[in-house]
Amino acid sequence: MNQSIINYNSGKDEYKNWIVSETEFNVKYQKKCEAIFCLGNGYLGIRSATEESYLGQLRDTFISGTFNKFGDNEVTELPNAADMIAIDIYVDGELFSLEKGIVSNYERTLNMKTGELKRYFTWTNKSGKTFNFLFKRFVSFHNLHLFATKVEITLVGCDANIEIYSGINGQVTNSGSQHFLEGEKRIFDNRYIQMLQKTTESNITFVHNTVHNLKVDEKEDIPTYRFEMDRRKVGINYNSSVLSNQTVYFEKISNIYTTRDKDMEGMSIKEIKDISLKNIKHSRSVGYDALKNVGCKEWQKNWDSIDIKIDSDDDYNQLAVRFAQYHMLIMTPKHDNRCGIGAKGLSGEGYKGHSFWDTEIFILPFFTYTMPEIAKSLLEYRYNMLEGAHIKAKENGYRGAMYPWESAWIKDGEVTPVWGGADIVTGESTKIWSGFIEQHITSDIAFAVWQYYQITGDEEFMNEYGYEILFDTAIFWASRLEWDKDKNEYHINDVVGPDEFQEHVNNDAFTNYMAQWCMEKAVDYYKILKENNSRVFVRLNNPEYSGLNLDKEIDVLRDKTNKIYLQLPNKDGLIPQDDTYLSKKNIDLTKYKNQKNVGLISKDYNPKQRNKIQVSKQASVVMLVYLLEYKFNNKIKQSNFDYYEPKTLHDSSLSLAIHSILASDVDKPDFAYKLFRKATEIDLGTNMKTSDPGIHAASFGGIWQAVICGFCGVRMVQGKLRINPKLPEQINSITFPLLWKGNKLEIKVTNNKL
Ligand code: IFM
């Protein structure tokens, strides 16, 4: 671990608290900055690997929604598109590398206000020649297909031969899985490089284009160049003799289109090739700087609707919240309601680009309260996969919509891998049970639909999509319940709740309460629609249209809502997490609570052994009393927080922020602040290994909620807006925008005023 490598104070003046930087290049830690400095626009995500190559890099480029299944034993994943970031630079025949020569004044900065990544340093090679390097890069926020790099190399008091190789490299894989069949390669007009490749199973054609602009000082250079074409690879090699104090300006402008793109729907590959080529020609004529400026305007518009101003003694707080929002903006496919958000956004191969409840419960509130159009599109994604949810229910012997634990393309159904890492006792692969029995996601999605509706008042969305999701998910739960004839009540047995350390439990509190909530809402809206919205009711009640027969379902739903077993709080307010949690043994968890890296307990106990201990991975009952808070008073919140937090290792990145909110609710502002800070450090902190496979998308949503719903106390309670601030003493004030039923509010919270 290197404490000083990440700098939070690089931004000055208008960029104060907008810039995160890396102050030293270290090959060992490259993956961290590749992920946390990721660039994107929701369609495209590019890890910030350096232009020159180093061992251990992950040179990933992902396009939202382009899932492919590599083999029968693998699950579908987002394939790594051809690399168009790489640029090889040779100085007097020697390949430039930061591992050779002397490097000084190094800094790499991510400017979250403009979406631009910069890297600069002075490099002296082994012959004693010195060069100033500046690399700039952006992914356009204006034209979703476009991204560009600009390299400037200034020769300090020496002449040199500069050779640059750059192009399109389809030899990259997803950890060895090559998802593409090789396609056409071509160089047009001696400049425009085009390469196609097609995914092996989903048959999506990717069209990649790149072009370069080379200048020495202000003059366009006509260097010697050589075409290079290889397997899955095509590029151009430029060679120029440059004089002392001259600067080489090398621009690389690229685009990607695919046959899955929403804006290319119905087009032939030939048409897409032509459009992409026309666009790359236009982009080249505009050039890096002007293209970037257009994108910046788009960034500004986005920030105008979401920026939170935090006045505190530590500027890091302001930066950390912007960092969370920056990532949520670049990871979210707002352009396409057939795509969801991956658990790592588009910043790495982790979780294969799949969507979890992370979207609905963690990330969605940010969009619902500030950019509802985007929240709506994400919910439509869930609507669009109803067919797959019906199939999953049927395969498991149930009815209605049973959402997959992990989702990819809308038609893919359940895509959770079945096998995970090695069991420390048996040495065998551990079975991942979530895809089979982590079922609460079905109510989480219904909950998000209702939350969106209450906050935005978007009746049209409900008529078109929302009510159908509510009824369909409730029907699933009704079919899922198991009758216990001795107790005269319905149970939900053999599940994994949000706390994934506890597998195969019965009556998980979170799962049962949320299932009841879901059925209860369906019962309520049955009545409301029947009485007040007959057009929609008639449509939804017609099995030919919606597959639903509400009149037939309603009595069963009502009965099951009343008879489902719920873990009730005991006299101290404690809610058992499930049927057996409270009777499991307690062990000393100090070692694990103080761990530097998550997952320490899994090195000492395998899942079976862990299952016998009162230890939790993440918020579960604590999450329940947050989401359904109108059902629980403060005493209950307090006693569950006090009981479960000490048993929770926060081994999931989804945990800290939710605990921070609850700590705010139960008047523990210092603890709330501490948990918030820890949540911000998951990706932005100085631990250089936490983000290697990609950032933690849900934790960014959690950070936003910890500030807005925790410190500022914003909550939608039963359709009403409540603001009950609990600022910690480290924060003087927070000012933030909020949309409430279409009204734009600007809210300022101080220690004694709202
Ligand atoms: O959805 C989460 C889950 O709650 C804990 N494990 C990781 C998943 C993806 O972030």
Side-chain angles (χ1 to χ4, degrees), residues 516 519-520 523 556-564:
Q516 192 220 27
M519 293 186 295
E520 192 177 58
V523 171
V556 175
L557 278 172
R558 211 175 276 127
D559 183 53
K560 294 193 171 177
T561 304
N562 294 329
K563 293 198 187 136
I564 181 172

Side-chain angles (χ1 to χ4, degrees), residues 45-245:
I46 304 185
R47 271 175 85 93
S48 288
T50 52
E51 285 71 10
E52 70 280 9
S53 300
Y54 299 97
L55 208 64
Q57 276 182 330
L58 294 175
R59 311 192 64 89
D60 289 335
T61 302
F62 299 110
I63 309 288
S64 221
T66 57
F67 290 97
N68 185 61
K69 189 170 152 87
F70 175 71
D72 288 344
N73 297 330
E74 298 196 10
V75 292
T76 192
E77 67 181 324
L78 271 190
N80 185 10
D83 177 16
M84 297 203 267
I85 291 300
I87 299 174
D88 297 337
I89 300 167
Y90 295 82
V91 174
D92 293 336
E94 180 199 12
L95 183 62
F96 156 71
S97 161
L98 289 169
E99 291 189 293
K100 295 188 262 182
I102 299 165
V103 180
S104 56
N105 304 324
Y106 178 92
E107 190 164 29
R108 176 154 58 151
T109 60
L110 172 70
N111 186 330
M112 298 180 285
K113 194 168 192 190
T114 61
E116 189 177 35
L117 183 76
K118 279 190 189 166
R119 186 164 63 115
Y120 43 86
F121 50 86
T122 300
W123 182 66
T124 302
N125 70 6
K126 62 175 190 284
S127 327
K129 292 188 181 179
T130 296
F131 307 85
N132 289 332
F133 280 82
L134 169 62
F135 293 84
K136 298 194 270 189
R137 189 191 297 176
F138 71 89
V139 168
S140 176
F141 230 54
H142 173 71
N143 171 353
L144 297 183
H145 303 274
L146 175 78
F147 53 103
T149 304
K150 185 170 181 175
V151 188
E152 298 179 18
I153 310 168
T154 304
L155 282 60
V156 185
C158 58
D159 301 343
N161 179 270
I162 304 287
E163 195 183 330
I164 298 179
Y165 169 78
S166 169
I168 306 173
N169 178 7
Q171 293 175 354
V172 291
T173 64
N174 287 58
S175 304
S177 295
Q178 174 51 269
H179 281 281
F180 294 96
L181 298 172
E182 182 155 24
E184 291 166 35
K185 297 175 287 241
R186 165 107 194 247
I187 298 171
F188 296 88
D189 305 338
N190 290 341
R191 279 189 191 282
Y192 301 99
I193 309 174
Q194 187 170 75
M195 189 178 98
L196 273 62
Q197 41 180 17
K198 187 164 89 170
T199 55
T200 52
E201 174 262 345
S202 50
N203 290 323
I204 304 168
T205 297
F206 282 50
V207 181
H208 309 81
N209 296 279
T210 200
V211 67
H212 308 113
N213 261 342
L214 180 73
K215 279 184 185 172
V216 174
D217 285 344
E218 279 314 295
K219 270 207 326 280
E220 182 152 359
D221 193 38
I222 317 280
T224 323
Y225 59 84
R226 195 174 70 232
F227 298 157
E228 295 193 2
M229 219 178 252
D230 208 336
R231 282 181 81 178
R232 302 170 191 275
K233 197 172 174 186
V234 51
I236 303 182
N237 202 303
Y238 302 89
N239 197 318
S240 225
S241 292
V242 187
L243 301 176
S244 171
N245 300 328

